[in-house]
Amino acid sequence: MTPISDHPVLLVTGGGRGIGAATARLAAQRGYAVAVNYAHNASAAEQLVADIRADGGQAIALQADIADEAQVLRLFAAVDIQLGPLQALVNNAGVVAPPARVEAMDLARLQRMFNINVIGCFLCAREAVRRMGTRQGERNFGAGYGRGGAIVNVSSAASRLGSPDQYVDYAAAKGAIDSMTLGLAKEVALDGIRVNAVRPGLIETDIHASGGLPDRVRDLSSSVPLQRGGSALEVAHAILWLLSAEASYTTAALLDVSGGR
Ligand code: NAP
């Protein structure tokens, strides 16, 4: 078992690939001990952890489907035991579905979209707040570490664009994440926890191919004022800033990382 870490402990959900992996890698370089959660792709997460360790960083890979409450509880318990008190959460795991108009969306699609992208984020935020909150008493549900911390939710520019003819369901799920960010930030402000969101635009990751649109970034880049897609690392830099003490007066912020789109 990995010894309890004396580095600040960060959990990145969906951390094995894409924006989550870039965030985990950058965080490890900045001295975080990183728990890399993944759902299915163990080899990507294990390789990332091996790379981080080879560079002298601390990381562990933990499998859990964030849409499953029992698995979320196991995930956070594993972080407690293997790394120690959680100080930062990046609620990054998310999915899209193939392009469809709302009139063609079936219940199974909608349930998957909202279970992972909304309920999963709520469950992880809940577990993080239970561990990070500095206020004692009946409000302190968790292990009572109470050191405070920061949460960054990975929303999307889709929440304000609406994504017509592609995935209004995804856009609406990210809209829920924006609202959750605003409400939770205000709710836990006196618990020593800051809560913010990044809203990436068109970012070069596998998520577009997973939704059946592998060329989506290239096809839409002319609609971006900066005339290009963004990289996962560019989003990771914004996330790491929001987690850091440099953002100590920033909470309930929705930070667009979208090239102006
Ligand atoms: P990605 O490359 O497809 O990676 C998605 C990650 O989420 C993977 O690590 C995946 O795990 C994980 N995941 C999916 N379902 C999960 C579940 N039920 N439980 C735990 N982990 C799960 O996507 P990405 O582009 O990096 O996206 C990351 C976040 O950024 C998402 O929230 C996405 O909505 C948001 N975003 C992306 C863009 C963009 O253009 N790329 C734009 C705006 C917002 P496995 O590796 O095990 O499959």
Side-chain angles (χ1 to χ4, degrees):
M1 184 185 299
T2 309
I4 296 277
S5 170
D6 55 1
H7 296 260
V9 173
L10 163 68
L11 169 61
V12 183
T13 66
R17 298 185 289 121
I19 292 168
T23 302
R25 204 181 290 274
L26 188 62
Q29 288 166 6
R30 302 222 176 143
Y32 288 90
V34 186
V36 176
N37 158 251
Y38 65 95
H40 308 291
N41 196 333
S43 59
E46 296 288 0
Q47 184 59 54
L48 174 65
V49 164
D51 291 348
I52 289 172
R53 289 180 178 170
D55 286 344
Q58 277 196 55
I60 57 172
L62 296 169
Q63 193 281 332
D65 175 354
I66 60 153
D68 181 316
E69 185 176 29
Q71 294 188 36
V72 170
L73 294 178
R74 269 209 310 276
L75 169 66
F76 278 78
V79 175
D80 292 340
I81 292 166
Q82 296 189 44
L83 292 181
L86 188 74
Q87 279 166 268
L89 167 68
V90 179
N91 239 336
N92 167 78
V95 293
V96 295
R101 288 170 60 91
V102 171
E103 68 226 43
M105 292 178 185
D106 62 19
L107 180 63
R109 171 183 170 130
L110 293 171
Q111 285 178 328
R112 171 176 176 267
M113 187 63 57
F114 284 85
N115 282 343
I116 297 174
N117 290 0
V118 181
I119 294 175
C121 284
F122 263 87
L123 292 173
C124 291
R126 182 191 75 191
E127 292 307 306
V129 168
R130 287 178 176 181
R131 286 162 173 77
M132 294 173 181
T134 53
R135 282 197 280 189
Q136 300 298 312
E138 63 185 26
R139 291 163 46 79
N140 191 335
F141 297 93
Y145 303 128
R147 295 182 178 186
I151 297 172
V152 175
N153 296 319
V154 181
S155 173
S156 171
S159 70
R160 55 180 169 70
L161 296 171
S163 305
D165 301 314
Q166 289 202 332
Y167 22 71
V168 173
D169 54 345
Y170 172 82
K174 294 301 188 180
I177 294 306
D178 287 359
S179 298
M180 186 265 261
T181 302
L182 299 176
L184 182 63
K186 295 168 187 173
E187 199 168 282
V188 300
L190 293 182
D191 295 292
I193 304 169
R194 295 182 300 102
V195 185
N196 294 290
V198 289
R199 295 197 296 197
L202 294 163
I203 308 300
E204 299 275 8
T205 72
D206 294 341
I207 201 169
H208 310 289
S210 75
L213 296 171
D215 298 324
R216 183 163 181 267
V217 174
R218 192 193 64 197
D219 292 347
L220 292 176
S221 59
S222 64
S223 68
V224 180
L226 289 186
Q227 293 290 301
R228 64 173 178 85
S231 71
L233 181 59
E234 288 176 304
V235 182
H237 275 122
I239 292 171
L240 263 294
W241 176 72
L242 286 169
L243 289 178
S244 78
E246 290 180 355
S248 54
Y249 199 53
T250 301
T251 197
L254 309 176
L255 177 58
D256 288 345
V257 187
S258 61
R261 183 167 177 262

